[in-house]
Amino acid sequence: MSAEPAHLSQIDLSKAKMVARDIDVFYGDKQAIKEVNLAVNENEVTALIGPSGCGKSTFLRCLNRMNETIPGCRVEGTILLDGIDVMHELDPVQLRARVGMVFQKPNPFPKSIYDNVAFGPRIHGLTGHPDELDEIVHNSLRRAGLYDEVKDRLGEPGTGLSGGQQQRLCIARAIAVSPEVILMDEPCSALDPIATAKVEELIEELRDEYTIIIVTHSMQQAARVSQRTAFFHLGDLVAVGPTEEIFTSPRHKLTQGYITGRFG
Amino acid sequence: MPHIVKSFDDELNRLRETLLSMGELAVAQFRGAMTALIERDVALAREGSAGDINVDGMEHAINEQGIRMLALRAPFADELRTVVAALKVSQDLERIADYAANIAKRSLLLSQGMQLPSVRAVQRLGTLVERQLAEVAASYRERDADRALAVWHSDLPVDEAYSGLFRELLTYMLEDPHAIGPASHLLFIAKNIERIGDHATNISEMVYFVITGGYIEGTRPKGVDADQAASADADGDGDGGHPGACEENQ
């Protein structure tokens, strides 16, 4: 391989939780992502920002091979999770248990609150005894900051919760299988400011145990929750660096233009 | 490139303009005080010692504008730096105006007594600092980081001139007890001018930060501290930046 791109050499790759090398993504003939190289540090929140259609969500979906479910989508390059090639050495189901995902729109299953959270542990065979499953469910709800609000109605449908609660339920569902990485695709875009603040607080807490990669359109949110920020534009990774630097003294004109609103 | 939200651009421009106008006012006050001293102009000294309520008003306006922009626009990058710097620089400018008022007040007292030849040296010191202020304002207006950096480096001659004056005035005081009064006023004036120079360099640091996003590296070149060299530092804080000792108008 040729010399490492500058931003990969900034961090200790042996400590990186995930590393993407020379990622190209095509939808049919159209190239959505061009040679993206990005390393994600363990127990950090990495924010992916950029205008709509820049490829940030596409990139996010590469990390747990969600793009494979899209017809005509082709991914080239290498993605490593703890040094393991996720595209060739891991089964997608295994991978998605280790790299969970939370989507833009809360998407609880049409099942009870309890069953939503228990779903993953059940299909991954993580539980032997019902007590054990109870503990996982309660614990996950607690970690997602939702337990106190729903503990007396675990049998009620998850879809009956408020938007913010549904999103935290989805986060509880994602962490129930003890993933190592959580991908979040605009997790707060459908939430009110209070629910958003709760999710952001949760992200801050989850960082101790998980590595989080979040796509967001809110510059303020990226600045608040992340330690590193990557800026995408027209399929290129334009800049990546410490969040503080990206938002106070961006080195790249395009990044500056985007985050300050002088763009296009 | 203009901002997508035009009114934000207008607000940023207004903030910059207010800061520049405040700078002009503070400098005019300093210049007036120096003229009052040199020309022994009682009317001008009286006018200057009253201070300028417009400077305080502008500091207040900049605070309000800045806080409003932080709250409503949540600026980032160079815009964030512009707002934060305006808040900080306006404080420096307000201090400069205070020092100028103090110089005017002492000029009024000096105009009634003997004239020491050291006034000329004080005038030269004032000219050096006035040039610093003009340069730092230009660096902000033109967004010229090199020019701001040059102001930062220009503090050494000011310190040296002040040290020279200090020794000179001490000599007058030792030679003639009648000179102690006017010499100490002149000394305080010189100290005030030197402090104004320090504020000019503070401002140059902020201008550099606004333009580049970085901080000026290294330690600022400093002359031998006259106050400490002579163990006569009345306020006991060396040249550490606390402006209390040489002022009466706090």
Side-chain angles (χ1 to χ4, degrees), chain B residues 172-193:
Chain B
Y172 281 118
M173 289 195 254
L174 287 170
E175 278 174 359
D176 178 6
H178 293 104
I180 289 176
S184 24
H185 281 308
L186 270 185
L187 189 56
F188 278 127
I189 287 174
K191 182 68 184 167
N192 283 340
I193 298 171

Short mmCIF file of all heavy atoms in Angstrom, two decimals, chain B residues 172-193:
data_model
loop_
_atom_site.label_atom_id
_atom_site.label_comp_id
_atom_site.label_asym_id
_atom_site.label_seq_id
_atom_site.Cartn_x
_atom_site.Cartn_y
_atom_site.Cartn_z
N TYR B 172 15.94 62.97 38.71
CA TYR B 172 15.38 64.29 39.03
C TYR B 172 14.92 64.33 40.48
O TYR B 172 15.13 65.31 41.20
CB TYR B 172 14.20 64.62 38.12
CG TYR B 172 14.63 65.10 36.76
CD1 TYR B 172 14.30 64.40 35.62
CD2 TYR B 172 15.36 66.29 36.63
CE1 TYR B 172 14.68 64.83 34.37
CE2 TYR B 172 15.76 66.73 35.39
CZ TYR B 172 15.42 66.00 34.26
OH TYR B 172 15.81 66.42 33.03
N MET B 173 14.27 63.26 40.88
CA MET B 173 13.73 63.24 42.24
C MET B 173 14.85 63.26 43.28
O MET B 173 14.74 63.91 44.32
CB MET B 173 12.87 61.99 42.44
CG MET B 173 11.55 62.06 41.67
SD MET B 173 10.37 60.83 42.23
CE MET B 173 10.41 59.68 40.89
N LEU B 174 15.95 62.57 42.98
CA LEU B 174 17.08 62.54 43.91
C LEU B 174 17.75 63.90 43.98
O LEU B 174 18.19 64.35 45.03
CB LEU B 174 18.10 61.48 43.47
CG LEU B 174 17.67 60.02 43.68
CD1 LEU B 174 18.63 59.07 42.98
CD2 LEU B 174 17.59 59.71 45.18
N GLU B 175 17.81 64.58 42.84
CA GLU B 175 18.51 65.86 42.78
C GLU B 175 17.73 66.98 43.45
O GLU B 175 18.31 67.84 44.09
CB GLU B 175 18.77 66.24 41.31
CG GLU B 175 19.99 65.55 40.74
CD GLU B 175 20.14 65.81 39.26
OE1 GLU B 175 19.28 66.52 38.68
OE2 GLU B 175 21.11 65.30 38.69
N ASP B 176 16.41 66.98 43.27
CA ASP B 176 15.63 68.11 43.76
C ASP B 176 14.30 67.63 44.33
O ASP B 176 13.41 67.17 43.59
CB ASP B 176 15.37 69.07 42.58
CG ASP B 176 14.51 70.25 42.99
OD1 ASP B 176 14.21 70.40 44.19
OD2 ASP B 176 14.12 71.02 42.08
N PRO B 177 14.12 67.76 45.63
CA PRO B 177 12.87 67.30 46.25
C PRO B 177 11.64 67.98 45.65
O PRO B 177 10.56 67.39 45.64
CB PRO B 177 13.04 67.70 47.72
CG PRO B 177 14.50 67.86 47.92
CD PRO B 177 15.09 68.29 46.61
N HIS B 178 11.81 69.21 45.12
CA HIS B 178 10.65 69.88 44.50
C HIS B 178 10.17 69.15 43.25
O HIS B 178 9.04 69.35 42.80
CB HIS B 178 10.99 71.33 44.13
CG HIS B 178 11.22 72.18 45.33
ND1 HIS B 178 12.49 72.57 45.74
CD2 HIS B 178 10.36 72.69 46.24
CE1 HIS B 178 12.39 73.28 46.85
NE2 HIS B 178 11.09 73.37 47.18
N ALA B 179 11.06 68.33 42.69
CA ALA B 179 10.70 67.62 41.46
C ALA B 179 9.93 66.33 41.75
O ALA B 179 9.40 65.70 40.84
CB ALA B 179 11.95 67.30 40.66
N ILE B 180 9.89 65.96 43.04
CA ILE B 180 9.28 64.66 43.36
C ILE B 180 7.82 64.59 42.91
O ILE B 180 7.39 63.61 42.29
CB ILE B 180 9.40 64.34 44.88
CG1 ILE B 180 10.86 64.03 45.19
CG2 ILE B 180 8.52 63.15 45.26
CD1 ILE B 180 11.15 63.79 46.67
N GLY B 181 7.08 65.68 43.19
CA GLY B 181 5.66 65.70 42.81
C GLY B 181 5.48 65.50 41.31
O GLY B 181 4.94 64.48 40.87
N PRO B 182 5.96 66.46 40.49
CA PRO B 182 5.77 66.31 39.05
C PRO B 182 6.42 65.05 38.48
O PRO B 182 5.84 64.40 37.59
CB PRO B 182 6.44 67.56 38.46
CG PRO B 182 7.17 68.23 39.56
CD PRO B 182 6.57 67.77 40.85
N ALA B 183 7.59 64.67 39.04
CA ALA B 183 8.26 63.48 38.50
C ALA B 183 7.43 62.22 38.76
O ALA B 183 7.33 61.34 37.90
CB ALA B 183 9.65 63.33 39.10
N SER B 184 6.81 62.16 39.95
CA SER B 184 6.03 60.94 40.18
C SER B 184 4.78 60.91 39.30
O SER B 184 4.38 59.84 38.82
CB SER B 184 5.68 60.72 41.65
OG SER B 184 5.69 61.90 42.36
N HIS B 185 4.17 62.10 39.07
CA HIS B 185 3.04 62.11 38.13
C HIS B 185 3.47 61.64 36.75
O HIS B 185 2.80 60.83 36.11
CB HIS B 185 2.44 63.52 38.03
CG HIS B 185 1.54 63.84 39.20
ND1 HIS B 185 0.52 63.02 39.60
CD2 HIS B 185 1.55 64.90 40.05
CE1 HIS B 185 -0.08 63.54 40.66
NE2 HIS B 185 0.53 64.69 40.96
N LEU B 186 4.62 62.15 36.31
CA LEU B 186 5.12 61.75 34.98
C LEU B 186 5.40 60.26 34.94
O LEU B 186 5.16 59.59 33.94
CB LEU B 186 6.39 62.52 34.63
CG LEU B 186 6.22 63.85 33.89
CD1 LEU B 186 7.59 64.41 33.52
CD2 LEU B 186 5.38 63.67 32.62
N LEU B 187 5.94 59.77 36.06
CA LEU B 187 6.26 58.34 36.12
C LEU B 187 4.99 57.49 35.98
O LEU B 187 4.96 56.51 35.24
CB LEU B 187 6.95 58.05 37.45
CG LEU B 187 7.56 56.67 37.60
CD1 LEU B 187 8.56 56.39 36.49
CD2 LEU B 187 8.26 56.55 38.96
N PHE B 188 3.96 57.92 36.69
CA PHE B 188 2.70 57.18 36.60
C PHE B 188 2.12 57.28 35.17
O PHE B 188 1.58 56.31 34.65
CB PHE B 188 1.68 57.71 37.60
CG PHE B 188 1.88 57.15 38.99
CD1 PHE B 188 2.00 57.99 40.09
CD2 PHE B 188 1.94 55.78 39.18
CE1 PHE B 188 2.19 57.47 41.37
CE2 PHE B 188 2.13 55.26 40.46
CZ PHE B 188 2.25 56.10 41.55
N ILE B 189 2.28 58.47 34.59
CA ILE B 189 1.80 58.63 33.21
C ILE B 189 2.54 57.67 32.28
O ILE B 189 1.94 56.96 31.46
CB ILE B 189 1.97 60.09 32.73
CG1 ILE B 189 0.92 60.98 33.43
CG2 ILE B 189 1.84 60.20 31.21
CD1 ILE B 189 1.08 62.47 33.16
N ALA B 190 3.88 57.63 32.48
CA ALA B 190 4.69 56.73 31.64
C ALA B 190 4.26 55.29 31.85
O ALA B 190 4.14 54.52 30.89
CB ALA B 190 6.17 56.90 31.98
N LYS B 191 3.98 54.93 33.09
CA LYS B 191 3.55 53.56 33.38
C LYS B 191 2.20 53.28 32.69
O LYS B 191 1.99 52.21 32.13
CB LYS B 191 3.42 53.38 34.90
CG LYS B 191 3.04 51.98 35.33
CD LYS B 191 4.15 51.00 35.05
CE LYS B 191 3.74 49.57 35.39
NZ LYS B 191 4.69 48.60 34.82
N ASN B 192 1.32 54.28 32.75
CA ASN B 192 0.03 54.10 32.09
C ASN B 192 0.20 53.90 30.59
O ASN B 192 -0.47 53.07 29.98
CB ASN B 192 -0.87 55.32 32.33
CG ASN B 192 -1.47 55.32 33.74
OD1 ASN B 192 -1.53 54.28 34.39
ND2 ASN B 192 -1.90 56.48 34.21
N ILE B 193 1.10 54.70 30.01
CA ILE B 193 1.34 54.55 28.56
C ILE B 193 1.89 53.16 28.26
O ILE B 193 1.45 52.49 27.32
CB ILE B 193 2.34 55.63 28.06
CG1 ILE B 193 1.74 57.03 28.27
CG2 ILE B 193 2.68 55.40 26.59
CD1 ILE B 193 2.73 58.15 28.00
#
